[in-house]
């Protein structure tokens, strides 16, 4: 897999269109398309920008080795999300939802984890059938 493929994989992992991905980076959509097709090579500055913006491991982006997102990058992403949620208006769904989650007991979190695992298992069974 080449860097052009990893750019596309990252974009899809984030659930973004080329336009949305480009908008977050403050570049044109055609630049993203050129990167994904291999028409244009990514400069070190663009690679750094992508890594900072999307909390991606630079080693993974450049070489494909390791995880797409490092633990530190994921923690920074969560912190940024929480900052956005806290800054949101009180009627914002994200803020109300996170507030509700914060009131769950340890046992309720365990139940949610069990149910999530059941859901994953059922989805995997469907794919095998």
């Amino acid at each position: 897999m080449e860097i052009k493929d990893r750019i596309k994989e990252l974009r899809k992992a984030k659930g973004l269109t080329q336009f949305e991905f480009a908008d977050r980076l403050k570049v044109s959509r055609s630049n993203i398309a050129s990167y994904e097709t291999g028409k244009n090579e990514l400069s070190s500055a663009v690679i750094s920008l992508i890594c900072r913006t999307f909390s991606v491991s630079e080693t993974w982006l450049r070489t494909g080795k390791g995880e797409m997102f490092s633990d530190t990058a994921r923690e920074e992403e969560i912190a940024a999300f929480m900052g956005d949620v806290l800054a949101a208006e009180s009627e914002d769904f994200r803020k109300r939802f996170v507030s509700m989650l914060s009131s769950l007991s340890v046992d309720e979190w365990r139940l949610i984890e069990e149910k999530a695992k059941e859901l994953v298992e059922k989805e995997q069974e469907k794919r095998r059938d």
Side-chain angles (χ1 to χ4, degrees), residues 16-82:
L16 300 172
T17 64
Q18 284 183 344
F19 180 80
E20 293 165 330
F21 192 81
D23 189 51
R24 297 263 306 267
L25 294 171
K26 308 288 189 254
V27 300
S28 71
R29 190 213 56 86
S30 62
N31 277 349
I32 300 304
S34 294
Y35 297 145
E36 288 185 3
T37 60
K39 183 178 178 184
N40 289 351
E41 288 190 30
L42 284 86
S43 68
S44 289
V46 171
I47 290 172
S48 293
L49 176 63
I50 290 170
C51 292
R52 273 193 322 274
T53 302
F54 297 105
S55 300
V56 173
S57 162
E58 188 168 336
T59 300
W60 176 84
L61 187 57
R62 288 182 181 273
T63 68
K65 294 180 181 169
E67 298 294 321
M68 183 185 298
F69 304 105
S70 66
D71 288 341
T72 303
R74 184 66 181 140
E75 288 173 8
E76 289 170 359
E77 188 176 284
I78 291 168
F81 170 76
M82 292 307 297

